[in-house]
Amino acid sequence: MKKLLLIVLCIFCCYHCKPKHSTVITKKAVIERKNNNTPKPIPSRQKVLSKPSKIVNYSKQFLGTRYKWGGTTKAGMDCSGLVYESFRAHDIYLPRISRDMAKKGHSIALKKVLKGDLLFFKTNKNKRNAINHVGLIVDIKNNDIYFIHATSSKGVIISSINQSYWKSAFAEARRVL
């Protein structure tokens, strides 16, 4: 019984002897409390990313991934798989095929695109003249638009819309966010 009492006493002393967090009350805090205003939180030094930035950053993890028709993983992916997975990872569900993606959101002028918008292309003009390629805008610098996409020859890369091939194949830009 004495041992149990001693243990309880030690626990009690240790509990009450541990340092408590101290709060510094400033004159401003007292005035705000009197005015029923809660103190404003201290701004975080971490930059809060927008949803388009999060989607773009996620898509960049696939840079260098080889091309695989119908693929959606780092083992291989196609252009629509890249866009589909990048948006799906952020709870935005787009159709799996680029021509169906081109029906979502709203069309915008190329001059008004933003990071996170989609670019659609018609790269096979001999067939149905239909949209068959999609890219995700990752950056806009000096009137040049850079987009991430998967090509059959180089896999997942970042290209410029000002490259003659992409400029001539461009069909439309769309915003889904």
Side-chain angles (χ1 to χ4, degrees):
M1 181 71 177
K2 287 183 180 182
K3 286 183 182 180
L4 181 62
L5 186 57
L6 184 60
I7 292 172
V8 171
L9 184 60
C10 285
I11 292 172
F12 181 79
C13 288
C14 290
Y15 177 77
H16 286 288
C17 292
K18 74 177 182 180
K20 303 279 191 241
H21 294 290
S22 60
T23 304
V24 177
I25 299 177
T26 63
K27 188 174 186 178
K28 182 179 176 184
V30 171
I31 292 169
E32 286 176 346
R33 191 173 290 152
K34 284 182 182 178
N35 294 334
N36 289 330
N37 293 332
T38 56
K40 294 179 182 174
I42 298 170
S44 172
R45 291 182 188 249
Q46 288 181 328
K47 187 177 179 183
V48 178
L49 293 176
S50 65
K51 183 144 311 213
S53 292
K54 289 178 184 177
I55 291 169
V56 164
N57 288 347
Y58 184 86
S59 72
K60 287 181 179 179
Q61 74 174 306
F62 297 104
L63 281 169
T65 300
R66 71 177 183 88
Y67 181 86
K68 181 181 179 192
W69 187 82
T72 58
T73 67
K74 284 188 176 184
M77 70 177 24
D78 63 12
C79 63
S80 57
L82 172 66
V83 171
Y84 173 83
E85 283 299 320
S86 297
F87 278 79
R88 186 195 62 78
H90 295 87
D91 297 321
I92 299 169
Y93 298 92
L94 296 175
R96 176 59 184 83
I97 301 167
S98 57
R99 71 174 170 268
D100 293 336
M101 283 182 191
K103 298 173 186 171
K104 298 298 178 185
H106 62 278
S107 183
I108 51 175
L110 196 54
K111 293 178 182 177
K112 296 188 178 197
V113 296
L114 300 171
K115 187 177 189 176
D117 289 339
L118 300 178
L119 300 176
F120 294 94
F121 302 89
K122 295 177 182 179
T123 63
N124 195 350
K125 302 211 186 233
N126 293 336
K127 290 194 177 177
R128 295 184 282 170
N129 196 27
I131 288 172
N132 64 345
H133 192 72
V134 61
L136 171 65
I137 297 176
V138 296
D139 204 5
I140 303 167
K141 289 182 187 173
N142 303 325
N143 294 325
D144 199 357
I145 300 165
Y146 296 91
F147 61 101
I148 190 168
H149 60 125
T151 66
S152 57
S153 60
K154 296 180 181 175
V156 179
I157 59 170
I158 294 177
S159 297
S160 165
I161 190 78
N162 286 337
Q163 293 170 323
S164 61
Y165 179 80
W166 296 115
K167 191 178 273 190
S168 67
F170 175 75
E172 69 176 301
R174 297 190 76 80
R175 181 164 297 147
V176 294
L177 295 175

